[in-house]
Amino acid sequence: SSDWVGAGTHRSTSMALLLLLPLAASLVPQPMRRRAVLSAPPLVAAGLLSPLAFGCGCGCGGLIHPPSALAISATTMTGKTRPDLGVVLVDQVSQQGQTLSADLVVAGGLICSVAFDSKWKLAEGGYYDVEANTRDGEAAFLQRVALPKGSTLDSLPAKWFTSAVLGVDGRYGAYGAPVDGKVIADVTSSGKRLVDISFTSLSPGGAESSRKAVVSAVQPAGSTDALLLVAGASAARWKKSGAEADARAAAQSLRVVGTRKTALAPEAPSDYRFGKTTGPSSMKSRNDGPDYSKYAADDAD
């Protein structure tokens, strides 16, 4: 009967769909990190266009692959993606007086002991690697970056530093890559590169916050990595609140205390935090980074 034929057709269609499910699943791109979405074309970031609609140029057939993350925990408890600063710690960061010290794994089979001085307090929680900051938005943080092949700190163009610091995966890229990055000054002294920069960061609501920073860079002997200390504040507090003097003092103090050989690679599994979770401490999240939206109002003054 026609009813029997219709039921059989329905069953055949259902079976065909079940057989096609594994194939369909294999065609779906891996979930994109929030920062990867922010760096994608607007329609993709808004969810109005599939990532399959444009290619990435790598021959993968148009699939968008999220950038590799060194983060120990990809997101904070509020869903905010932690920055990927390339820092692989072998032990806890310490602060004795105004001196912050840390042991990092760097390229070349080395553990590098690095230190800098700051009157700002050591930042704790899963959002941070090596950082001192204040409630008013001043911050000095460490970043490890691989140098281009055959390059040294002295030979790098100044714009390399803005590219390294102001990416969507960087410390200031939680709500989109900073814009208007400019190099204001560039000095090399005693094996240390000091680059003054200015830029505009974005807040959750899209408000803009003008910021200034000093980037101090050193290269551990025997390694092809550079260690950057980025010390900065909102443009409004840079002069009138003394933030510039504090940032410059921190940047100038960056130093390599020593290095030692290791079999560890500068990869996530080498970090002492790998596999551990960071969560509430006294019922208060320790993973949340600062919200720069409140500093946008200061910039308008």
Side-chain angles (χ1 to χ4, degrees), residues 23-50:
L23 176 61
S26 68
L27 296 176
V28 177
Q30 295 297 313
M32 298 173 66
R33 286 177 50 196
R34 183 179 183 280
R35 292 183 184 226
V37 173
L38 287 171
S39 61
L43 289 177
V44 176
L48 301 178
L49 183 64
S50 167

Side-chain angles (χ1 to χ4, degrees), residues 1 4 20 26 31 37 44 55 57 62 69 88 148 152-153 160 162 170 187 204 213 218 221 229 251 269 273 279:
S1 67
W4 183 87
L20 287 173
S26 68
V37 173
V44 176
V88 178
T152 63
L153 280 180
W160 180 87
T162 56
V187 178
V218 295
L229 181 70
R273 301 166 293 176

Side-chain angles (χ1 to χ4, degrees), residues 104-169:
L104 288 72
V105 183
V106 297
L110 297 172
I111 291 177
C112 178
S113 296
V114 63
F116 67 93
D117 303 324
S118 177
K119 62 174 60 175
W120 304 333
K121 184 180 179 182
L122 173 66
E124 298 180 338
Y127 188 82
Y128 307 99
D129 293 313
V130 185
E131 176 169 328
N133 62 24
T134 73
R135 292 184 177 181
D136 294 314
E138 290 87 7
F141 61 89
L142 204 62
Q143 182 171 346
R144 181 187 65 87
V145 186
L147 294 173
K149 188 176 181 179
S151 298
T152 63
L153 280 180
D154 294 342
S155 66
L156 291 171
K159 65 180 182 180
W160 180 87
F161 293 89
T162 56
S163 297
V165 173
L166 303 181
V168 72
D169 275 339

